[in-house]
Amino acid sequence: MSAAVILGAQWGDEGKGKITDLLSEKADVVVRYQGGNNAGHTIVIGDQKFALSLIPSGVLYPTVTPVIGNGVVVDPRWFFEEKATLTKRGVDPSKVKISNNAHLIMPYHRKLDAVIERYLGSAMIGTTKRGIGPAYTDKFARVGIRVQDLFDEKIFMEKLTTSLKLKNKILMKVYNQLPLDIDEIADEYLGYADDLAPHVTDTSLLVYDAVRAGDNVLFEGGQGTLLDIDHGTYPFVTSSNPTAGGAPVGIGIGPTMIDRVIGVAKAYISRVGTGPFPTELHDEIGDKLIDIGGEYGVVTGRRRRCGWLDMVALRYSVRVNGLTDIALTKLDILSHFDTIKVATAYTAEGDRYTEFPRQQGVLYHCVPEYEELPGWNVDISGVTSYDDLPPNARSYIEYIEDHAGVPITTVSVGPGRRATLHR
Ligand code: GDP
Ligand code: IMO
Ligand code: MG
């Protein structure tokens, strides 16, 4: 049995796509368990670059069955667009399986996402405006529409009528918007049924059987630990559980079937959208990390906020996910710095914190305590073995490992498949 979760250990964009792609070479099934097309996972193969959003990163291997689990929210319009883009580029997405129980992102979810953000003003989350939050809201309010409903027109229309009536009232009376037309939505969505049918299955059973048969199964998280609805910097989070506990729920298997949890962490840290960020750099070092690191969002093109590695946050991630090991990415970006800082604790209002503060508000006032480590100032993007890294680069990795308390088993030194060191 081999089932591993690959998840973001920080605020997303850690390089989960690259690490999932690497491990997919030996995988049979790759499953997304939460989120939706708010994710932007980049995979670089030679001179080709793929940006995957909803479809699992394993799709690039013909030997892999990519699965969209029940915990994902599916925008069918986006699914077909992503499928068409992949097909045009010579990738075959016909094997993608989608859970019958996954919830659908509807046009009113996208619309609400945009108007709610506008309404929040300075308190906005900075969402991707893909309708993720409103779709999960409906799921938990028990007024969501599931993938399987597309195959029962009567039920679909009943659910749509109930949901849209209220949504239109909210859109018109609260947000001063035009109402959405039920026939237009029904035509569009019921029109997807035939093309979606070959993809839809009981993915819980599919994954269960695969794990039981001894297949190599990967569970690919979207977003990251600090964006988790329960364990992240609420309310500046996404509306799902990217943490490891979200995997069994979002797939429909038991936690005992998972034997490895890999946390992907950048050698520094970034965040898109609003919310507290203790090690954020507002100076030229921050700008340098953004520029050299190419830190611009895959989904929205937004400039990411960047800062030094935060060990308080990384140790938190080890704890709430039960990480077995870490894949450290973008180490090559730090080659351009004479000294590298790592936050080991915070202080706020006279108190010292070595763990994430219990009271969210404190995080805004936290001043990081930094340890300074020497840089290596030499290009490492062509290095192919761990022992060939400069001693200061190895010391940096070993420092993180010691303080995180779990091994760093993979080190990434460039976006491509070959720029990876295994330990
Ligand atoms: P994800 O959402 O976690 O899959 O990450 P993104 O794709 O949003 O952002 C990671 C970015 O870093 C992408 O542009 C990757 O191609 C790139 N990347 C991943 N690993 C490395 C690395 O080790 N070095 C460099 N320079 N780029 C990397
Ligand atoms: P990947 O999988 C980074 C952020 C948004 C916003 C918050 C809520 O590529 O790492 P949402 O649209 O989910 O309701 O937005 O979460 N966010 C991400 N940030 N990487 C992502 O995905 C993200 N997906 C959502 O910027 O702050
Ligand atoms: Mg991303």
Side-chain angles (χ1 to χ4, degrees), residues 166-184:
L166 181 60
K167 295 298 182 310
N168 273 342
K169 277 202 176 137
I170 296 170
L171 283 170
M172 287 188 294
K173 297 196 172 168
V174 180
Y175 298 107
N176 207 19
Q177 299 290 308
L178 290 172
L180 299 182
D181 182 64
I182 189 160
D183 294 330
E184 236 174 73

mmCIF file of all heavy atoms in Angstrom, residues 166-184:
data_model
loop_
_atom_site.group_PDB
_atom_site.id
_atom_site.type_symbol
_atom_site.label_atom_id
_atom_site.label_comp_id
_atom_site.label_asym_id
_atom_site.label_seq_id
_atom_site.Cartn_x
_atom_site.Cartn_y
_atom_site.Cartn_z
ATOM 1 N N LEU A 166 -33.449 32.566 -3.980
ATOM 2 C CA LEU A 166 -32.826 33.299 -2.872
ATOM 3 C C LEU A 166 -31.612 34.099 -3.353
ATOM 4 O O LEU A 166 -31.410 35.257 -2.972
ATOM 5 C CB LEU A 166 -32.420 32.302 -1.775
ATOM 6 C CG LEU A 166 -31.764 32.898 -0.532
ATOM 7 C CD1 LEU A 166 -32.694 33.893 0.162
ATOM 8 C CD2 LEU A 166 -31.367 31.804 0.447
ATOM 9 N N LYS A 167 -30.819 33.466 -4.227
ATOM 10 C CA LYS A 167 -29.610 34.148 -4.713
ATOM 11 C C LYS A 167 -29.984 35.426 -5.462
ATOM 12 O O LYS A 167 -29.342 36.461 -5.305
ATOM 13 C CB LYS A 167 -28.809 33.238 -5.654
ATOM 14 C CG LYS A 167 -28.240 32.007 -5.002
ATOM 15 C CD LYS A 167 -27.255 32.355 -3.908
ATOM 16 C CE LYS A 167 -26.612 31.163 -3.258
ATOM 17 N NZ LYS A 167 -27.470 30.109 -2.792
ATOM 18 N N ASN A 168 -31.026 35.352 -6.271
ATOM 19 C CA ASN A 168 -31.426 36.544 -7.034
ATOM 20 C C ASN A 168 -31.911 37.653 -6.109
ATOM 21 O O ASN A 168 -31.645 38.827 -6.357
ATOM 22 C CB ASN A 168 -32.489 36.181 -8.082
ATOM 23 C CG ASN A 168 -31.838 35.721 -9.389
ATOM 24 O OD1 ASN A 168 -30.645 35.987 -9.615
ATOM 25 N ND2 ASN A 168 -32.589 35.040 -10.235
ATOM 26 N N LYS A 169 -32.613 37.258 -5.048
ATOM 27 C CA LYS A 169 -33.062 38.277 -4.073
ATOM 28 C C LYS A 169 -31.839 38.963 -3.457
ATOM 29 O O LYS A 169 -31.793 40.175 -3.310
ATOM 30 C CB LYS A 169 -33.896 37.618 -2.978
ATOM 31 C CG LYS A 169 -35.333 37.430 -3.390
ATOM 32 C CD LYS A 169 -36.253 37.284 -2.187
ATOM 33 C CE LYS A 169 -37.681 37.190 -2.689
ATOM 34 N NZ LYS A 169 -38.454 36.170 -2.006
ATOM 35 N N ILE A 170 -30.872 38.140 -3.082
ATOM 36 C CA ILE A 170 -29.657 38.702 -2.463
ATOM 37 C C ILE A 170 -28.921 39.590 -3.460
ATOM 38 O O ILE A 170 -28.516 40.707 -3.138
ATOM 39 C CB ILE A 170 -28.739 37.571 -1.939
ATOM 40 C CG1 ILE A 170 -29.438 36.800 -0.814
ATOM 41 C CG2 ILE A 170 -27.393 38.122 -1.463
ATOM 42 C CD1 ILE A 170 -28.746 35.531 -0.376
ATOM 43 N N LEU A 171 -28.782 39.083 -4.693
ATOM 44 C CA LEU A 171 -28.055 39.862 -5.712
ATOM 45 C C LEU A 171 -28.739 41.206 -5.960
ATOM 46 O O LEU A 171 -28.083 42.243 -6.045
ATOM 47 C CB LEU A 171 -27.948 39.065 -7.022
ATOM 48 C CG LEU A 171 -26.894 37.953 -7.052
ATOM 49 C CD1 LEU A 171 -27.041 37.087 -8.300
ATOM 50 C CD2 LEU A 171 -25.472 38.536 -6.999
ATOM 51 N N MET A 172 -30.069 41.166 -6.039
ATOM 52 C CA MET A 172 -30.797 42.409 -6.372
ATOM 53 C C MET A 172 -30.891 43.345 -5.169
ATOM 54 O O MET A 172 -30.592 44.524 -5.268
ATOM 55 C CB MET A 172 -32.211 42.067 -6.869
ATOM 56 C CG MET A 172 -32.221 41.465 -8.257
ATOM 57 S SD MET A 172 -33.894 41.293 -8.907
ATOM 58 C CE MET A 172 -34.629 40.108 -7.844
ATOM 59 N N LYS A 173 -31.324 42.783 -4.033
ATOM 60 C CA LYS A 173 -31.681 43.662 -2.898
ATOM 61 C C LYS A 173 -30.480 44.067 -2.046
ATOM 62 O O LYS A 173 -30.478 45.140 -1.458
ATOM 63 C CB LYS A 173 -32.739 42.976 -2.037
ATOM 64 C CG LYS A 173 -34.006 42.765 -2.845
ATOM 65 C CD LYS A 173 -35.216 42.462 -2.023
ATOM 66 C CE LYS A 173 -36.420 42.470 -2.944
ATOM 67 N NZ LYS A 173 -37.609 41.949 -2.373
ATOM 68 N N VAL A 174 -29.492 43.184 -1.966
ATOM 69 C CA VAL A 174 -28.327 43.542 -1.134
ATOM 70 C C VAL A 174 -27.235 44.180 -1.984
ATOM 71 O O VAL A 174 -26.644 45.186 -1.605
ATOM 72 C CB VAL A 174 -27.773 42.297 -0.400
ATOM 73 C CG1 VAL A 174 -26.570 42.671 0.460
ATOM 74 C CG2 VAL A 174 -28.853 41.641 0.451
ATOM 75 N N TYR A 175 -27.012 43.579 -3.156
ATOM 76 C CA TYR A 175 -25.849 44.017 -3.941
ATOM 77 C C TYR A 175 -26.205 44.842 -5.175
ATOM 78 O O TYR A 175 -25.317 45.176 -5.973
ATOM 79 C CB TYR A 175 -25.007 42.790 -4.332
ATOM 80 C CG TYR A 175 -24.452 42.068 -3.125
ATOM 81 C CD1 TYR A 175 -24.965 40.838 -2.722
ATOM 82 C CD2 TYR A 175 -23.429 42.625 -2.362
ATOM 83 C CE1 TYR A 175 -24.470 40.177 -1.597
ATOM 84 C CE2 TYR A 175 -22.927 41.980 -1.246
ATOM 85 C CZ TYR A 175 -23.448 40.758 -0.866
ATOM 86 O OH TYR A 175 -22.949 40.126 0.240
ATOM 87 N N ASN A 176 -27.515 45.124 -5.351
ATOM 88 C CA ASN A 176 -27.939 45.994 -6.432
ATOM 89 C C ASN A 176 -27.514 45.486 -7.817
ATOM 90 O O ASN A 176 -27.074 46.246 -8.675
ATOM 91 C CB ASN A 176 -27.346 47.401 -6.175
ATOM 92 C CG ASN A 176 -28.186 48.475 -6.801
ATOM 93 O OD1 ASN A 176 -29.357 48.236 -7.121
ATOM 94 N ND2 ASN A 176 -27.597 49.648 -7.011
ATOM 95 N N GLN A 177 -27.631 44.184 -7.999
ATOM 96 C CA GLN A 177 -27.235 43.549 -9.270
ATOM 97 C C GLN A 177 -28.470 43.072 -10.035
ATOM 98 O O GLN A 177 -29.535 42.888 -9.444
ATOM 99 C CB GLN A 177 -26.356 42.317 -8.979
ATOM 100 C CG GLN A 177 -25.084 42.606 -8.243
ATOM 101 C CD GLN A 177 -24.089 43.355 -9.106
ATOM 102 O OE1 GLN A 177 -23.782 42.947 -10.217
ATOM 103 N NE2 GLN A 177 -23.604 44.481 -8.599
ATOM 104 N N LEU A 178 -28.288 42.798 -11.312
ATOM 105 C CA LEU A 178 -29.381 42.232 -12.101
ATOM 106 C C LEU A 178 -29.532 40.755 -11.730
ATOM 107 O O LEU A 178 -28.543 40.090 -11.413
ATOM 108 C CB LEU A 178 -29.073 42.346 -13.596
ATOM 109 C CG LEU A 178 -29.092 43.758 -14.185
ATOM 110 C CD1 LEU A 178 -28.573 43.738 -15.619
ATOM 111 C CD2 LEU A 178 -30.519 44.327 -14.134
ATOM 112 N N PRO A 179 -30.757 40.223 -11.760
ATOM 113 C CA PRO A 179 -30.942 38.799 -11.434
ATOM 114 C C PRO A 179 -30.396 37.911 -12.556
ATOM 115 O O PRO A 179 -30.264 38.359 -13.700
ATOM 116 C CB PRO A 179 -32.465 38.664 -11.327
ATOM 117 C CG PRO A 179 -33.008 39.761 -12.188
ATOM 118 C CD PRO A 179 -32.023 40.894 -12.112
ATOM 119 N N LEU A 180 -30.099 36.658 -12.216
ATOM 120 C CA LEU A 180 -29.643 35.710 -13.247
ATOM 121 C C LEU A 180 -30.851 34.932 -13.760
ATOM 122 O O LEU A 180 -31.811 34.693 -13.017
ATOM 123 C CB LEU A 180 -28.601 34.764 -12.667
ATOM 124 C CG LEU A 180 -27.317 35.414 -12.139
ATOM 125 C CD1 LEU A 180 -26.352 34.355 -11.626
ATOM 126 C CD2 LEU A 180 -26.640 36.233 -13.228
ATOM 127 N N ASP A 181 -30.769 34.519 -15.014
ATOM 128 C CA ASP A 181 -31.892 33.859 -15.674
ATOM 129 C C ASP A 181 -31.806 32.342 -15.493
ATOM 130 O O ASP A 181 -30.805 31.715 -15.862
ATOM 131 C CB ASP A 181 -31.869 34.238 -17.167
ATOM 132 C CG ASP A 181 -33.026 33.626 -17.902
ATOM 133 O OD1 ASP A 181 -34.171 33.985 -17.580
ATOM 134 O OD2 ASP A 181 -32.795 32.749 -18.769
ATOM 135 N N ILE A 182 -32.872 31.767 -14.948
ATOM 136 C CA ILE A 182 -32.867 30.327 -14.635
ATOM 137 C C ILE A 182 -32.742 29.461 -15.901
ATOM 138 O O ILE A 182 -32.020 28.462 -15.904
ATOM 139 C CB ILE A 182 -34.103 29.919 -13.794
ATOM 140 C CG1 ILE A 182 -33.946 28.468 -13.316
ATOM 141 C CG2 ILE A 182 -35.412 30.119 -14.533
ATOM 142 C CD1 ILE A 182 -34.797 28.085 -12.141
ATOM 143 N N ASP A 183 -33.411 29.871 -16.965
ATOM 144 C CA ASP A 183 -33.372 29.041 -18.185
ATOM 145 C C ASP A 183 -31.970 29.010 -18.785
ATOM 146 O O ASP A 183 -31.508 27.977 -19.263
ATOM 147 C CB ASP A 183 -34.365 29.573 -19.232
ATOM 148 C CG ASP A 183 -35.795 29.419 -18.738
ATOM 149 O OD1 ASP A 183 -36.037 28.470 -17.961
ATOM 150 O OD2 ASP A 183 -36.651 30.249 -19.095
ATOM 151 N N GLU A 184 -31.332 30.164 -18.724
ATOM 152 C CA GLU A 184 -29.962 30.228 -19.273
ATOM 153 C C GLU A 184 -29.026 29.285 -18.500
ATOM 154 O O GLU A 184 -28.254 28.538 -19.094
ATOM 155 C CB GLU A 184 -29.443 31.655 -19.115
ATOM 156 C CG GLU A 184 -28.983 32.282 -20.416
ATOM 157 C CD GLU A 184 -28.623 33.742 -20.211
ATOM 158 O OE1 GLU A 184 -27.574 34.003 -19.605
ATOM 159 O OE2 GLU A 184 -29.422 34.597 -20.659
#
